[in-house]
Amino acid sequence: MPIQLVTTVAGLKAESARLLATKTGVSQGLVPTMGALHEGHATLARTAVEQNDVVVASIFVNPLQFGDAGDLDRYPRTLDADLALLEEQGVDLAFAPSVEEVYPGGQPLVRVTSGRLGEKWEGASRPGHFDGALTVVAKLLHYGMPAAGLPAGTVGSAGGSLPAYRAYFGQKDAQQLALVRRMVSDLNFPVEIVGVPTVRAEDGLALSSRNRFLSDAERDAALVLSRALRLLEGRANAHEPLDLDSALALVESQPLVELDYFDVVNPGTLEPLAENCRETPFRGEALALIAAKVGPVRLIDNLPLNS
C-alpha cells in the first residue's frame, strides 16, 4: 500500500483513525524524525511496522532545538527520498507539517524543560537544545496518539480497549532517549517508548544525517570514536578496569578530531561512574558517551557496557 502524506494535525488524526478502523488495528506506532533519513531511521521504521498495525512517521526539522540559525539552514531536507525510504519499510502514514502548523502562534511561550538531566553532556554544549527537543516530542506524541483521532465513544478491537501506542527512538541519541523516557514517566504520557539499537556502517561509524558532510579524510578520522568505545566494551566484558584515560588518549591522538566529552555514566541518571571505571574491575551496567567535532561536523556516539 503506498504511503500517505499529510501535512496538518487534523489530517494526521483523521487518516490514522481511518487506517486503524480499516485494519481493525489494535496498536499504533510513531517514529519521530527530522528527515534526511538513512538506514538507522529505516531500522526504526521496520521495528515499528513489525510491532504495530498502523505506523506513522513524522518528518519535521524543529527550529527550537537549533541554537545556531546557520545550522538549522544547513540541515538537509530530502522529503522525496525520505518518503520512498519509509514506504519501503511499510510505513502507512507520513506527517510532514510546516513550522506554522506545529507552532501556529510563533515560538511557544511555554515549553517542556529538560531539567538537570538536560543540562549536562549535550545540554552543556548546546544550551536549550533539549528543551526544544522535548517540546516538539511532546507535541508529536500528542498528535500521534491513536485515541486523539477516534470519534467519541470509539474503542479498539482488543477487548474493547483503545489501541496500544508506542513511539520509537534510536539509542544513538542516548541522552535524548533518556530524557524522553523520563518526560513520559514524569508527565504520565500514555505511550510506550521503545529504544532501538544504534545502526552502524560496516566500518563502525554510527549512522547520522550529518555524516554526509564529512570528507573522506574526516570520515576516516571519525572512526576513532567507535574504536575508543569498543576498547572500553572489551575491557568491560573482561571485567577489567576501563582505564578511560588510555581510551581518551586514543581519541586525542587523531588530529582531525576535536573532543568535546568522553565519559562513562550511569545509564539512568547520566552521572559519571568514576569510581567504577579507572582502577577497579568493571562490574554492572554503564553507558560510555562520546562527542566530538570532526571537521565542520559534530558527532555523538555511545555504547552500553555490561559485565
Side-chain angles (χ1 to χ4, degrees):
M1 179 178 176
I3 193 170
Q4 298 179 63
L5 173 64
V6 295
T7 59
T8 67
V9 175
L12 170 62
K13 292 179 178 180
E15 284 303 305
S16 64
R18 187 188 65 78
L19 286 167
L20 280 168
T22 300
K23 296 188 174 187
T24 61
V26 297
S27 61
Q28 181 161 301
L30 173 70
V31 182
T33 84
M34 291 208 303
L37 305 185
H38 50 65
E39 181 57 30
H41 299 102
T43 300
L44 289 175
R46 284 196 300 272
T47 303
V49 168
E50 290 168 359
Q51 297 180 0
N52 299 278
D53 299 300
V54 173
V55 173
V56 177
S58 64
I59 301 171
F60 179 66
V61 182
N62 177 36
L64 297 192
Q65 64 195 75
F66 287 84
D68 180 355
D71 195 23
L72 172 62
D73 292 339
R74 287 189 298 271
Y75 194 88
R77 275 81 165 174
T78 57
L79 181 59
D80 289 343
D82 294 344
L83 294 174
L85 181 145
L86 293 171
E87 184 172 82
E88 289 176 1
Q89 316 316 314
V91 171
D92 299 286
L93 190 60
F95 175 51
S98 65
V99 173
E100 292 74 22
E101 179 70 15
V102 177
Y103 304 117
Q107 292 207 2
L109 297 179
V110 176
R111 306 186 186 192
V112 177
T113 176
S114 58
R116 289 178 298 171
L117 190 58
E119 294 173 354
K120 58 190 70 178
W121 310 121
E122 284 303 288
S125 298
R126 304 170 67 186
H129 168 73
F130 286 119
D131 290 359
L134 290 181
T135 297
V136 79
V137 168
K139 291 173 77 73
L140 291 170
L141 290 176
H142 285 308
Y143 295 158
M145 194 177 302
L150 297 173
T154 300
V155 295
S157 58
S161 61
L162 288 168
Y165 184 32
R166 306 178 183 96
Y168 295 79
F169 295 83
Q171 290 180 358
K172 185 180 80 71
D173 297 304
Q175 189 172 5
Q176 174 180 272
L177 176 58
L179 281 162
V180 169
R181 282 177 164 153
R182 190 69 194 221
M183 176 182 72
V184 164
S185 174
D186 287 352
L187 301 183
N188 302 105
F189 280 49
V191 59
E192 175 188 354
I193 301 301
V194 180
V196 178
T198 301
V199 178
R200 299 180 181 276
E202 290 185 6
D203 57 12
L205 186 66
L207 298 189
S208 169
S209 300
R210 299 177 187 272
N211 289 353
R212 68 189 68 196
F213 298 125
L214 295 169
S215 68
D216 290 343
E218 290 162 351
R219 181 186 173 87
D220 186 62
L223 297 179
V224 75
L225 305 184
S226 59
R227 287 203 299 270
L229 292 173
R230 293 297 184 192
L231 181 62
L232 295 185
E233 181 186 46
R235 292 170 178 169
N237 291 341
H239 307 297
E240 299 173 354
L242 297 184
D243 188 11
L244 188 63
D245 290 340
S246 66
L248 178 63
L250 172 64
V251 178
E252 293 179 334
S253 70
Q254 175 49 255
L256 295 181
V257 175
E258 181 182 343
L259 186 66
D260 183 354
Y261 59 78
F262 184 21
D263 213 333
V264 179
V265 303
N266 179 296
T269 66
L270 302 186
E271 291 293 333
L273 293 180
E275 76 286 351
N276 199 23
C277 296
R278 289 169 171 82
E279 297 179 359
T280 59
F282 179 80
R283 293 288 189 275
E285 296 184 356
L287 183 69
L289 298 174
I290 193 166
K293 191 172 182 181
V294 185
V297 182
R298 178 180 173 81
L299 298 176
I300 61 172
D301 201 351
N302 68 85
L303 201 62
L305 305 178
N306 301 281
S307 64

